[in-house]
Amino acid sequence: MNSQPLDTPLPDIVGTSSAMREVYRRTRLVAPTRASVLIVGETGTGKELIARAIHRLSPRADGPYVRVNCGALSESLLESELFGHVKGAFTGAIDNKTGRFAAAHGGTIFLDEISSMSAKLQVKLLRVLQEHEFERVGEARTIRVDTRVVAATNQLLEEEIEAGRFREDLYYRLNVVPVYLPPLRERREDIPALARFFLRRYCEENYRETPELPREVFEVLMPHDWPGNVRELENYVERSVVLSNGGPITPDLVRPVSRGELAHVGMRRPGRSGGDLPALIQQLVQTAIQSIPAEQGDLMERVVKGVERELIEQVLVLCGGVHVKAAERLGINRNTLHNKVDAFNSKRSAAKD
């Protein structure tokens, strides 16, 4: 029997604050069971890390772990993605498709942004949770599955229920065991450890020695409210590694952005219409390029990509993590936005594995 305390930090997750110790405790308690889990937390708090930890600590650890972003697809595409379809079920269905629930048989399916699921699909999901069965799109044959459901949301589902956008019976099926992930502003004591963790990671990725973080840097980081949470802190540390060019990390490398400001380059935050975003993107890129010597083309490319990621994640924060609103502000297609966010997350996951 494992005598390890329940509140011991989980692998790949940084933080020893009392708020995070409660997360570790609840994660370890629920992982060995069959109970559905609802992970609640703001954008950037690390909900998928907890979902993966639940899977890895469960008896299903040798089975598949499948992630679906419910906010990234239209109702029809999400239905096909979750449950699969048969050839000819709709225009473009040229082959049979196995859905994510079937692919996760014997393992865990993680449903991110669950609050964005349509009423029709909420009914189908409720049936899977209750009866462990479903039909593929265009097929009458019933498929039975043994799949554990872990869902996540950055919205208050109780408010969605009151507004008539989320089924109350589905909420209780999903919310058997809730896990609340605190925002970074509620666990500021974890900021030094997180900053050092990301510093080591990005120095290794860029083949640089890991410098010490001086006290003056933490004097800048600690008071910030971190609307983008851990993801925002990670971005700022990565940027400081790039812009330090192998030198020490100094307060001037983090102070302007750690305050959530773009005023140092004379820019405004995106407006409601999003009409100023193309110019904002161009100015961000130009500012980044001008800060890097022209001969360092590879580094320049990294900075440009980092600027794109920062802008997308800043707008997501402003839009409460809702992809539809963020895509509208950015002036891009929602699927394009989702693909970019998935690419950012895949890079982070690859670094952790």
Side-chain angles (χ1 to χ4, degrees):
M1 181 177 177
N2 190 349
S3 59
Q4 186 180 53
L6 291 173
D7 64 355
T8 300
L10 295 165
D12 302 324
I13 301 179
V14 178
T16 57
S17 61
S18 59
M20 287 305 295
R21 287 191 176 278
E22 174 58 23
V23 171
Y24 304 146
R25 188 188 72 84
R26 186 162 290 209
T27 299
R28 283 197 170 89
L29 284 173
V30 73
T33 72
R34 298 177 61 88
S36 299
V37 181
L38 181 64
I39 305 172
V40 182
E42 296 178 6
T43 299
T45 50
K47 294 185 288 294
E48 186 172 5
L49 289 175
I50 298 301
R52 286 185 180 274
I54 290 170
H55 175 69
R56 290 171 179 168
L57 293 172
S58 75
R60 299 169 176 265
D62 292 333
Y65 171 85
V66 177
R67 175 186 179 269
V68 183
N69 188 321
C70 300
L73 301 171
S74 65
E75 178 185 279
S76 59
L77 290 175
L78 181 58
E79 182 178 20
S80 173
E81 193 69 20
L82 289 173
F83 305 109
H85 64 253
V86 295
K87 182 179 179 179
F90 50 84
T91 303
I94 58 176
D95 291 300
N96 291 341
K97 176 182 174 66
T98 298
R100 298 293 186 93
F101 267 101
H105 180 71
T108 305
I109 188 168
F110 174 51
L111 303 177
D112 201 4
E113 295 189 36
I114 191 70
S115 62
S116 63
M117 185 176 282
S118 70
K120 173 186 174 183
L121 293 186
Q122 288 179 39
V123 173
K124 295 195 71 169
L125 176 58
L126 181 62
R127 182 186 171 201
V128 176
L129 288 166
Q130 291 177 331
E131 309 295 336
H132 308 288
E133 62 183 29
F134 63 91
E135 289 82 38
R136 291 192 294 179
V137 178
E139 185 178 50
R141 179 175 65 92
T142 297
I143 299 172
R144 291 193 60 81
V145 290
D146 173 21
T147 303
R148 184 185 196 173
V149 175
V150 176
T153 179
N154 56 20
Q155 306 291 322
L156 291 175
L157 291 187
E158 295 87 347
E159 293 181 359
E160 296 297 299
I161 292 169
E162 291 179 6
R165 293 188 291 264
F166 202 83
R167 294 180 62 98
E168 188 171 12
D169 48 2
L170 176 58
Y171 169 72
Y172 289 120
R173 282 286 179 177
L174 291 171
N175 196 38
V176 175
V177 178
V179 176
Y180 170 69
L181 269 177
L184 190 54
R185 63 183 175 273
E186 292 181 5
R187 57 181 188 111
R188 294 180 190 273
E189 60 266 47
D190 290 331
I191 290 174
L194 284 163
R196 293 186 179 102
F197 173 81
F198 292 130
L199 182 66
R200 286 193 300 272
R201 170 189 293 175
Y202 289 110
C203 283
E204 289 173 3
E205 282 190 9
N206 292 282
Y207 306 102
R208 295 175 180 175
E209 293 292 326
T210 304
E212 292 293 324
L213 286 176
R215 177 178 53 82
E216 292 79 10
V217 166
F218 293 118
E219 289 175 352
V220 172
L221 297 179
M222 294 298 286
H224 184 47
D225 279 340
W226 301 107
N229 293 294
V230 177
R231 187 177 299 157
E232 183 184 5
L233 175 61
E234 178 181 2
N235 287 348
Y236 295 165
V237 173
E238 181 181 12
R239 182 186 303 109
S240 70
V241 169
V242 172
L243 296 181
S244 69
N245 197 24
I249 306 298
T250 55
D252 61 287
L253 293 177
V254 295
R255 180 175 288 113
V257 286
S258 70
R259 292 176 178 170
E261 297 174 352
L262 295 176
H264 64 296
V265 289
M267 289 179 284
R268 297 179 288 116
R269 286 192 179 275
R272 295 186 64 86
S273 67
D276 58 342
L277 281 172
L280 178 61
I281 293 170
Q282 183 178 7
Q283 199 165 3
L284 274 167
V285 171
Q286 289 299 322
T287 301
I289 289 175
Q290 289 166 12
S291 67
I292 303 298
E295 64 272 12
Q296 297 183 13
D298 180 60
L299 186 56
M300 187 185 302
E301 182 180 353
R302 288 185 213 163
V303 173
V304 170
K305 289 180 179 178
V307 167
E308 179 188 44
R309 178 169 59 192
E310 178 199 350
L311 179 63
I312 287 174
E313 292 186 347
Q314 290 272 1
V315 174
L316 277 169
V317 168
L318 292 173
C319 295
V322 180
H323 282 214
V324 174
K325 294 180 181 178
E328 183 179 353
R329 277 198 172 186
L330 289 163
I332 60 177
N333 180 273
R334 184 177 66 174
N335 288 340
T336 300
L337 174 61
H338 174 59
N339 290 337
K340 288 181 180 292
V341 172
D342 265 1
F344 301 154
N345 292 337
S346 294
K347 179 181 177 183
R348 291 192 183 97
S349 296
K352 293 183 178 76
D353 293 338

